[in-house]
Amino acid sequence: TAKDPSKPRFVCGAIGPTNRTLSVSPSVENPAFRNVTFDEVVAAYTVQIDSLVAGGVDVLLVETIFDTLNAKAALYAIEQYFATKGVRFPVFVSGTIVDNSGRTLSGQTNEAFWNSVQHAKPLAIGLNCALGASDMIGYIENLSNCCDCYVFAYPNAGLPNCMGGYDQTGKEMKEEVRPFVERGLVNMLGGCCGTWFDHIEEIADLVKDYEPRKPPTVEGLMRLSGLEPLNYTPDEKNMRGTFLNVGERCNVAGSIMYKKAIVDGNYEKALGIARKQVEQGADVLDINMDDGLIDGVSAMTKFVNLLISEPDVSKVPFMIDSSKFHVVEAGLKCAQGKCIVNSISLKEGEEAFKHHASICKYHGASVVVMAFDEEGQAATFEDKVRICQRAFRILVEEVGFAPYDVIFDPNILTVGTGLAEHNNYAVDFIRATREIKRVCPGCKISGGVSNIAFSFRGNEAVRRCFHSAFLYHACKAGMDMGIVNAAQVKADAYDKLDKELLGYVEDVLLNKCDNATERMLEYAATLEPKCKPTAVVKKGGVPAFTPSPKVNVRDYDSLVPPDPLDPVPIYKPFESSIQPTANYGVIDKLFKERILVIDGAMGTSIQKYKLDEPDFQGERYANHSHPLKGNNDILVITRPDIISEIHSKFLEVGADFIETNTFSGTSIAQADYELQAEEEVYLINKKAAEIAKECCKKFTAKDPSKPRFVCGAIGPTNRTLSVSPSVENPAFRNVTFDEVVAAYTVQIDSLVAGGVDVLLVETIFDTLNAKAALYAIEQYFATKGVRFPVFVSGTIVDNSGRTLSGQTNEAFWNSVQHAKPLAIGLNCALGASDMIGYIENLSNCCDCYVFAYPNAGLPNCMGGYDQTGKEMKEEVRPFVERGLVNMLGGCCGTWFDHIEEIADLVKDYEPRKPPTVEGLMRLSGLEPLNYTPDEKNMRGTFLNVGERCNVAGSIMYKKAIVDGNYEKALGIARKQVEQGADVLDINMDDGLIDGVSAMTKFVNLLISEPDVSKVPFMIDSSKFHVVEAGLKCAQGKCIVNSISLKEGEEAFKHHASICKYHGASVVVMAFDEEGQAATFEDKVRICQRAFRILVEEVGFAPYDVIFDPNILTVGTGLAEHNNYAVDFIRATREIKRVCPGCKISGGVSNIAFSFRGNEAVRRCFHSAFLYHACKAGMDMGIVNAAQVKADAYDKLDKELLGYVEDVLLNKCDNATERMLEYAA
């Protein structure tokens, strides 16, 4: 350049293809395998780019691209580098056509290759290597026509000779490349393999005489690609004709067969489903793995990699579809073509939206934007337009998306539901389509078409007619594409639809009259459900039904267990690695020998000293920022003499246990005095424990026959996890479970450091606070490998017999029994005479020691206590006379004389003998649910788990949650309990819902509603972090649904341990590392393996283990599904036999999924299934409680039942066909 400044020279940083391919498997046996990942390639390219730039390159040249996905990884790295550094270099991209097929090694045509990389806006694109100039010219011409950037070529010096060398001379090459410049195809020429200085010299001489190519103005189209290009060119006059059919059958929500294939790991079958869709006319292939039984990232990666290896499928572009953006990214990282992402939205706010959009742009994808914002899903015309216009402005103005790469899904919502507010949904979508395309020029419109007729599942003619009619009107308004059954929408042309049927359909679709839905239902009832919308068949005039004869009848009882049975396995008892403290056994022995005495009230004892601010401040806090008077806990630092004196006097009058002065010793409570720093909290608790321990040591030394012990007092804090501080917002909490656990953990650690013998969780007015304390304690024990005795003491606030948070005392016991406290009792709030009934109840139901330390009667009008020691002695006498307690003491208002009298009283009485309590699954809401199965009538004791607060079980509930209408959702919950739900299932697993936030808010809201929260909750999610969110809000003993061995034993044990810490019973799915159990043998094998782990290694009580052996759908038409019900029922009996004490549950509605839309058949299946499953030992199930109570087995229509049981019990080969004939 210095020699001739008029001819500047530039350096291209050469970025080669690497020696590994992202789109081609190195293994013939495993086409889905890759020996490198997209992220690894990006990382490698990033280092190369950084160092090339550091060395001074002028251009970044991504060259010799035989696999477009490698090039996309390079361009992704380049775009990220530019964004990070804030500078953009010219980028050249050069592909390689490997032979005269005109394709890259990874199978793309060169126009598909351009569509895949154009998002990077290269300054120039071209071809190099593999071919000589004469073979390359046609492909350069194609690029020259379709690319709006500069075009170049640097071919080889002809084709290689037999020795691999190149014979073409510079002059020969000059003539061979001459047509490139003569025809104006290129802006740059050069040479690749075999070219030397003379070749380039000749080319340089040639080009001087020719004008460069003028880049054409290329029409702004959405240009997608698979192996082949798809340049979407809408015909505004015939949008139905240019409509893009997005195949729906590789979506786990759109095909049961596909979902089963993925869950079972049968990817070849899934590939066949994909192939068939393309054969039937799918222009784009939708791929979705959003299901709780599927690892989305792994499945998406494997399946897309597999599809790439199948040219008949991967010739079309992919729609990478997931509500989880990390799953979307996984799909994009496997696809060399230009994909569509489905979807992103404004739901999480603009920053998240822009972040997701930017990543899609880096990958070169077009993007579907759902009409959803921070306020919820758009249902009305106005909201659809408003949200889409806002998103369009952000994408185009801020992110830099081309308008034609923006696709809006304004939400196709279901009509014909019977709810008036849904009647205009189709009209609103169609109107919004037209308006969005007007105000967002260049955008596209898409949607899930099957949603429109969700209400008419089961009636083929009606459903398909809705799809076709909807598409006709939506395409007239400008709809561009949709997720459809491609074969059906091609067959069901609008002009071929039955005109009578179409009239009824369009009345509903276009909301032409108020009773359109009712009229549609009446008319639909006259049609054969399986007929086609283009050839309607009426039921009328059909003679008496004559069923097909049964084929291969099986008269034997398929449910009879085999004879002989294998012996029941012997399970080893759980042996904890956590060792008890030395004093654990001593205290346990003393409880057996005599009634023990715990001290009296520390707070009211301190009041007698009439202390003032200087006493609380002492030296350490003389200049503290906040008044400290009333902060009794701090006296262990500022007036240890007083605390020591009080402890000593209680010990002197006969107390066996004294409590540390740490009732408010958490950071949460100390925050009221601005002493929440961990250093201060630790000091308070440790010092308190040391003072108490020193006193106990002195008195034990005086009389070793009467050892004394320190209880580390763990109070309730001054905040509640189950009660909102806001009357206006019952779901609000001013502290979280994790914050309470963290606060208690510091307190426990410091109490133990100070030498306590017992951990006493006391004065519990909110059970969830106590569960947080016990959670912290259990985690502490697990970490330290040592177990201290734990005492738990609740507080009944009045004569309702309930805690402040609403629980009865037996429900309270059920909620905390998992911690296996050495002793449980009640304290505070009541005097002894009011407390005795509740202590008696605890004494009857608890298998541990029981205690009481009541107040000295009820307070007087001044808040003081008048009951003397002798009076209290007589009031507590019935506790010992009736053998109700193992320990007595005093709470508010009790002084040394009260404890002295109690110590004198208990000497003359035997301690309570803890009863042998039956091993039952004891659940709780505000009230206890002690499940006592009746082996002779399991249907009578069956627990109905309400299904309607599950987003998969109720469209109305899902819509309420998505819309943020939690009051409506609460009403759905209330109605289920009123209709007989024993347990309430709560599930938020949907892509439109933030599971943790929704679960937290809804459970908090339910807790505030006693008519609902009286029953236990089933916290239901396939995402364990969502399960945890629910457990952290529920004071009762819940059921977790579910955990499994899917991710291996370590993850299983980890999840099970957390459930145990929370005290939950647990549903275990029959699912292991190999997949979902479908056969009898697999169900039993997996459940028995899980049972052994839970009982022997985790320490679960057998009666808290609930197995779900997978209720799978029968009547699908697939022979391999015919025995699913029989296998479940047989497995139920066998699992309960080989896993003694366990329970069996399942999602009952799954059994009849094939018969949705036929209410009589579906409900008959549910009732008949429950009858047989309960006879085999099924304990509970997720059901519509009202329906299963109404549909008693003995009341079912006998003819219908016969057909149903033929299918259910697999009584003949053609049972499904006969059922369908009869159902019609």
Side-chain angles (χ1 to χ4, degrees):
T1 300
K3 285 182 182 177
D4 182 2
S6 69
K7 185 177 170 63
R9 313 301 176 97
F10 305 98
V11 178
C12 291
I15 299 171
T18 84
N19 56 351
R20 298 194 179 187
T21 60
L22 285 166
S23 298
V24 182
S25 172
S27 165
V28 177
E29 294 78 18
N30 183 0
F33 172 67
R34 301 293 183 270
N35 59 359
V36 71
T37 68
F38 184 90
D39 290 339
E40 288 168 345
V41 176
V42 168
Y45 279 136
T46 300
V47 174
Q48 186 177 24
I49 294 157
D50 191 40
S51 45
L52 287 170
V53 171
V57 300
D58 304 292
V59 176
L60 294 171
L61 167 61
V62 182
E63 69 165 344
T64 320
I65 298 160
F66 49 82
D67 180 345
T68 310
L69 189 52
N70 284 47
K72 287 176 72 177
L75 295 170
Y76 188 96
I78 287 170
E79 286 300 312
Q80 285 200 313
Y81 182 86
F82 291 168
T84 304
K85 301 297 184 181
V87 64
R88 180 172 294 278
F89 284 73
V91 174
F92 297 173
V93 179
S94 186
T96 296
I97 301 296
V98 291
D99 54 35
N100 285 318
S101 69
R103 294 178 183 263
T104 62
L105 180 69
S106 56
Q108 280 199 314
T109 69
N110 66 329
E111 187 172 359
F113 160 64
W114 163 246
N115 287 6
S116 300
V117 301
Q118 63 167 331
H119 63 279
K121 300 190 185 304
L123 187 63
I125 192 163
L127 299 175
N128 76 292
C129 202
L131 303 177
S134 59
D135 292 314
M136 188 183 281
I137 191 165
Y139 310 124
I140 286 292
E141 185 167 27
N142 178 252
L143 276 183
S144 184
N145 291 334
C146 67
C147 300
D148 56 1
C149 63
Y150 302 114
V151 169
F152 60 81
Y154 50 112
N156 292 348
L159 295 177
N161 58 34
C162 59
M163 302 297 290
Y166 292 85
D167 303 322
Q168 191 176 66
T169 66
K171 290 189 182 296
E172 289 169 342
M173 188 175 184
K174 177 180 181 178
E175 294 312 311
E176 199 164 80
V177 299
R178 187 179 295 277
F180 286 76
V181 291
E182 284 181 336
R183 290 157 62 179
L185 302 181
V186 293
N187 303 92
M188 181 170 73
L189 274 175
C192 198
C193 300
T195 59
W196 188 238
F197 309 129
D198 60 324
H199 297 81
I200 301 306
E201 186 176 24
E202 293 290 346
I203 290 170
D205 181 65
L206 168 69
V207 299
K208 288 187 297 188
D209 301 329
Y210 293 91
E211 289 296 310
R213 163 186 171 271
K214 290 183 173 56
T217 301
V218 178
E219 187 180 2
L221 301 178
M222 181 175 69
R223 299 175 185 273
L224 307 173
S225 58
L227 296 183
E228 297 173 6
L230 193 168
N231 300 328
Y232 173 58
T233 310
D235 180 349
E236 303 296 340
K237 295 180 180 177
N238 179 22
M239 292 293 285
R240 186 69 188 88
T242 55
F243 183 83
L244 293 181
N245 295 307
V246 182
E248 70 180 355
R249 312 308 285 175
C250 287
N251 183 319
V252 291
S255 167
I256 297 172
M257 195 178 299
Y258 172 75
K259 175 182 171 182
K260 186 176 188 303
I262 296 297
V263 169
D264 293 346
N266 189 346
Y267 282 80
E268 282 301 318
K269 186 173 183 179
L271 181 60
I273 294 168
R275 187 185 297 111
K276 189 172 182 182
Q277 288 184 88
V278 177
E279 290 168 357
Q280 292 179 336
D283 302 298
V284 178
L285 198 64
D286 183 65
I287 306 165
N288 179 291
M289 301 289 181
D290 284 1
D291 187 90
L293 297 176
I294 298 169
D295 178 337
V297 168
S298 171
M300 181 67 80
T301 301
K302 184 171 183 177
F303 192 52
V304 176
N305 279 344
L306 190 62
L307 290 177
I308 296 295
S309 71
E310 186 63 40
D312 291 342
V313 180
S314 59
K315 66 183 180 182
V316 303
F318 299 154
M319 177 178 276
I320 307 296
D321 183 356
S322 180
S323 61
K324 306 173 185 74
F325 194 74
H326 64 285
V327 179
V328 166
E329 285 191 275
L332 290 174
K333 290 173 181 177
C334 301
Q336 66 173 335
K338 175 169 178 173
C339 302
I340 299 172
V341 163
N342 187 12
S343 62
I344 62 173
S345 78
L346 284 158
K347 180 183 177 185
E348 297 174 29
E350 290 193 4
E351 289 311 307
F353 177 66
K354 286 189 280 191
H355 175 66
H356 291 161
S358 296
I359 291 174
C360 294
K361 188 184 170 200
Y362 287 157
H363 282 283
S366 295
V367 67
V368 175
V369 180
M370 295 293 292
F372 205 119
D373 68 1
E374 301 88 341
E375 296 174 15
Q377 186 180 40
T380 65
F381 164 79
E382 293 77 13
D383 281 347
K384 293 176 193 289
V385 175
R386 172 182 59 79
I387 293 173
C388 292
Q389 194 170 356
R390 175 186 170 203
F392 190 73
R393 188 178 301 280
I394 293 168
L395 290 174
V396 173
E397 294 182 357
E398 298 183 45
V399 183
F401 254 84
Y404 46 77
D405 276 333
V406 177
I407 306 161
F408 288 113
D409 181 339
N411 307 322
I412 300 176
L413 302 173
T414 306
V415 295
T417 64
L419 297 174
E421 59 265 35
H422 298 178
N423 290 351
N424 223 48
Y425 275 170
V427 173
D428 280 341
F429 180 94
I430 294 165
R431 288 181 59 222
T433 292
R434 182 178 288 110
E435 181 64 6
I436 291 165
K437 293 197 76 171
R438 187 183 72 82
V439 298
C440 303
C443 80
K444 309 291 178 279
I445 299 291
S446 180
V449 175
S450 63
N451 293 353
I452 197 72
F454 202 71
S455 303
F456 298 98
R457 287 174 304 171
N459 194 314
E460 195 78 344
V462 173
R463 188 179 60 81
R464 288 172 60 171
C465 187
F466 263 98
H467 297 169
S468 181
F470 175 79
L471 281 176
Y472 172 78
H473 293 287
C475 288
K476 281 180 69 176
M479 188 176 181
D480 299 272
M481 66 188 73
I483 300 175
V484 296
N485 183 311
Q488 288 182 1
V489 298
K490 283 179 179 283
D492 302 337
Y494 181 78
D495 57 1
K496 294 179 182 176
L497 296 174
D498 180 273
K499 295 299 178 280
E500 185 180 25
L501 170 59
L502 182 59
Y504 285 97
V505 165
E506 289 190 333
D507 278 356
V508 177
L509 204 60
L510 305 179
N511 196 13
K512 289 186 174 181
C513 58
D514 287 350
N515 63 336
T517 297
E518 291 73 11
R519 295 179 73 252
M520 178 76 258
L521 290 169
E522 291 168 2
Y523 179 74
T526 70
L527 305 182
E528 294 289 350
K530 297 300 177 185
C531 67
K532 296 178 181 177
T534 54
V536 167
V537 178
K538 295 260 184 107
K539 291 179 181 176
V542 177
F545 172 65
T546 305
S548 302
K550 295 184 181 182
V551 176
N552 192 15
V553 178
R554 291 176 278 279
D555 290 327
Y556 57 85
D557 186 350
S558 58
L559 302 181
V560 171
D563 186 25
L565 293 166
D566 293 334
V568 175
I570 296 171
Y571 297 95
K572 295 182 295 186
F574 171 65
E575 292 184 7
S576 175
S577 60
I578 303 171
Q579 297 302 308
T581 60
N583 277 336
Y584 198 110
V586 176
I587 294 169
D588 184 43
K589 183 171 180 289
L590 287 172
F591 267 124
K592 289 181 173 70
E593 293 172 350
R594 59 188 176 86
I595 298 174
L596 302 176
V597 178
I598 192 167
D599 62 3
M602 176 61 74
T604 48
S605 296
I606 289 171
Q607 287 172 14
K608 294 180 185 289
Y609 286 83
K610 306 204 180 297
L611 303 179
D612 216 333
E613 184 67 24
D615 294 293
F616 290 90
Q617 288 181 341
E619 290 183 17
R620 183 179 178 88
Y621 304 111
N623 299 311
H624 190 61
S625 57
H626 192 282
L628 296 175
K629 186 177 180 181
N631 186 2
N632 288 344
D633 295 35
I634 210 169
L635 294 172
V636 299
I637 297 167
T638 61
R639 291 299 305 271
D641 54 320
I642 290 176
I643 304 305
S644 179
E645 184 177 314
I646 293 170
H647 284 326
S648 297
K649 286 185 177 178
F650 279 127
L651 292 167
E652 189 177 315
V653 297
D656 297 289
F657 295 94
I658 56 171
E659 301 171 54
T660 56
N661 181 35
T662 54
F663 184 80
S664 299
T666 60
S667 56
I668 293 169
Q670 286 299 317
D672 284 356
Y673 299 97
E674 297 178 7
L675 286 173
Q676 67 270 28
E678 186 171 327
E679 175 192 354
E680 301 297 341
V681 171
Y682 191 91
L683 179 63
I684 290 168
N685 285 280
K686 185 171 182 289
K687 187 69 174 171
E690 288 170 346
I691 293 169
K693 188 68 172 179
E694 188 60 33
C695 293
C696 284
K697 281 181 178 177
K698 286 180 183 175
F699 277 84
T700 302
K702 284 182 185 177
D703 182 1
S705 69
K706 186 178 170 64
R708 314 300 179 97
F709 304 98
V710 179
C711 292
I714 299 171
T717 83
N718 53 354
R719 299 196 177 186
T720 61
L721 284 166
S722 298
V723 182
S724 173
S726 167
V727 176
E728 293 78 19
N729 184 0
F732 172 67
R733 301 293 184 269
N734 59 0
V735 71
T736 68
F737 185 91
D738 291 340
E739 289 168 345
V740 176
V741 168
Y744 279 136
T745 299
V746 174
Q747 185 175 30
I748 294 158
D749 191 40
S750 45
L751 287 171
V752 171
V756 300
D757 304 293
V758 175
L759 293 172
L760 168 60
V761 183
E762 69 162 343
T763 319
I764 298 160
F765 51 81
D766 181 344
T767 310
L768 189 52
N769 284 46
K771 286 176 71 178
L774 295 171
Y775 188 96
I777 287 170
E778 286 300 313
Q779 285 199 314
Y780 183 85
F781 291 168
T783 303
K784 302 296 183 181
V786 67
R787 180 174 294 279
F788 285 74
V790 174
F791 297 172
V792 177
S793 186
T795 295
I796 301 297
V797 291
D798 56 34
N799 285 319
S800 68
R802 295 177 183 264
T803 62
L804 180 68
S805 56
Q807 279 198 314
T808 69
N809 64 332
E810 187 171 358
F812 160 64
W813 163 244
N814 288 3
S815 299
V816 300
Q817 63 165 334
H818 64 279
K820 300 189 183 305
L822 187 64
I824 193 165
L826 298 175
N827 75 291
C828 203
L830 303 176
S833 59
D834 292 316
M835 188 184 282
I836 192 166
Y838 311 124
I839 286 293
E840 185 167 29
N841 180 252
L842 277 184
S843 184
N844 292 334
C845 68
C846 300
D847 55 1
C848 63
Y849 303 114
V850 169
F851 59 82
Y853 50 112
N855 291 348
L858 295 177
N860 57 34
C861 59
M862 301 298 290
Y865 292 85
D866 302 322
Q867 191 175 68
T868 65
K870 291 191 182 297
E871 289 168 343
M872 187 174 185
K873 177 180 182 178
E874 294 312 311
E875 201 163 80
V876 299
R877 189 181 293 277
F879 288 74
V880 291
E881 286 180 334
R882 290 158 62 179
L884 302 180
V885 293
N886 302 93
M887 181 170 74
L888 273 177
C891 198
C892 301
T894 58
W895 184 240
F896 312 127
D897 60 325
H898 297 82
I899 301 307
E900 187 174 24
E901 293 291 345
I902 288 170
D904 180 63
L905 169 70
V906 301
K907 287 187 297 187
D908 302 327
Y909 293 91
E910 290 296 308
R912 163 186 170 273
K913 290 182 172 56
T916 301
V917 177
E918 188 179 1
L920 301 178
M921 181 175 68
R922 299 174 186 275
L923 307 173
S924 59
L926 296 183
E927 298 172 8
L929 193 168
N930 301 327
Y931 172 59
T932 310
D934 181 349
E935 303 297 339
K936 295 179 180 177
N937 180 21
M938 292 293 286
R939 186 68 189 88
T941 54
F942 183 84
L943 293 181
N944 295 308
V945 182
E947 69 180 356
R948 313 306 287 175
C949 286
N950 183 320
V951 291
S954 168
I955 296 172
M956 194 179 298
Y957 172 75
K958 175 183 170 180
K959 185 176 186 303
I961 297 296
V962 168
D963 292 347
N965 190 346
Y966 282 80
E967 282 301 318
K968 186 172 183 179
L970 181 59
I972 293 169
R974 186 185 299 109
K975 188 171 183 181
Q976 286 184 89
V977 177
E978 290 169 356
Q979 291 180 335
D982 302 298
V983 178
L984 198 64
D985 183 68
I986 307 165
N987 179 291
M988 300 291 182
D989 284 1
D990 187 89
L992 296 176
I993 298 168
D994 179 337
V996 169
S997 172
M999 180 67 80
T1000 300
K1001 185 170 183 177
F1002 191 53
V1003 176
N1004 279 344
L1005 190 62
L1006 290 177
I1007 296 294
S1008 70
E1009 186 64 40
D1011 291 341
V1012 179
S1013 59
K1014 66 182 180 182
V1015 304
F1017 299 154
M1018 177 178 276
I1019 306 296
D1020 183 357
S1021 179
S1022 62
K1023 305 174 185 73
F1024 195 73
H1025 64 285
V1026 178
V1027 166
E1028 285 191 275
L1031 291 174
K1032 290 173 182 178
C1033 300
Q1035 66 174 331
K1037 176 170 178 174
C1038 301
I1039 299 172
V1040 163
N1041 186 13
S1042 62
I1043 61 172
S1044 78
L1045 283 158
K1046 180 182 177 184
E1047 298 173 30
E1049 289 193 5
E1050 289 310 308
F1052 178 66
K1053 287 189 280 192
H1054 174 66
H1055 291 161
S1057 296
I1058 291 173
C1059 294
K1060 188 182 169 199
Y1061 287 157
H1062 282 283
S1065 296
V1066 66
V1067 174
V1068 180
M1069 295 293 294
F1071 205 120
D1072 68 1
E1073 301 89 339
E1074 296 174 18
Q1076 185 180 40
T1079 65
F1080 164 79
E1081 293 76 12
D1082 281 347
K1083 293 175 193 288
V1084 176
R1085 172 182 59 81
I1086 292 172
C1087 292
Q1088 194 171 346
R1089 176 187 168 202
F1091 189 74
R1092 188 178 298 281
I1093 294 168
L1094 289 174
V1095 172
E1096 293 183 355
E1097 298 183 45
V1098 183
F1100 254 84
Y1103 46 78
D1104 275 332
V1105 178
I1106 306 161
F1107 288 112
D1108 182 339
N1110 307 320
I1111 299 176
L1112 302 173
T1113 305
V1114 294
T1116 64
L1118 297 174
E1120 60 263 37
H1121 299 178
N1122 290 351
N1123 222 48
Y1124 276 170
V1126 171
D1127 280 340
F1128 180 93
I1129 294 165
R1130 290 181 59 223
T1132 292
R1133 182 182 286 112
E1134 182 64 4
I1135 291 165
K1136 293 197 76 171
R1137 189 183 72 82
V1138 297
C1139 303
C1142 79
K1143 309 292 176 279
I1144 299 289
S1145 181
V1148 175
S1149 64
N1150 292 354
I1151 197 71
F1153 202 71
S1154 302
F1155 298 96
R1156 288 174 303 171
N1158 194 317
E1159 194 78 343
V1161 173
R1162 189 178 60 81
R1163 288 172 62 169
C1164 186
F1165 263 98
H1166 297 169
S1167 181
F1169 176 81
L1170 281 176
Y1171 172 78
H1172 292 287
C1174 287
K1175 279 180 71 175
M1178 189 176 181
D1179 298 273
M1180 66 186 74
I1182 300 175
V1183 295
N1184 183 310
Q1187 287 182 1
V1188 298
K1189 283 179 179 282
D1191 302 338
Y1193 181 80
D1194 57 0
K1195 293 179 182 175
L1196 297 175
D1197 179 272
K1198 296 300 178 279
E1199 186 179 25
L1200 170 59
L1201 180 61
Y1203 286 96
V1204 165
E1205 289 190 333
D1206 278 356
V1207 177
L1208 206 58
L1209 305 181
N1210 194 14
K1211 289 188 173 181
C1212 59
D1213 285 354
N1214 64 333
T1216 296
E1217 291 75 9
R1218 296 177 75 252
M1219 178 76 257
L1220 289 168
E1221 291 169 4
Y1222 180 76

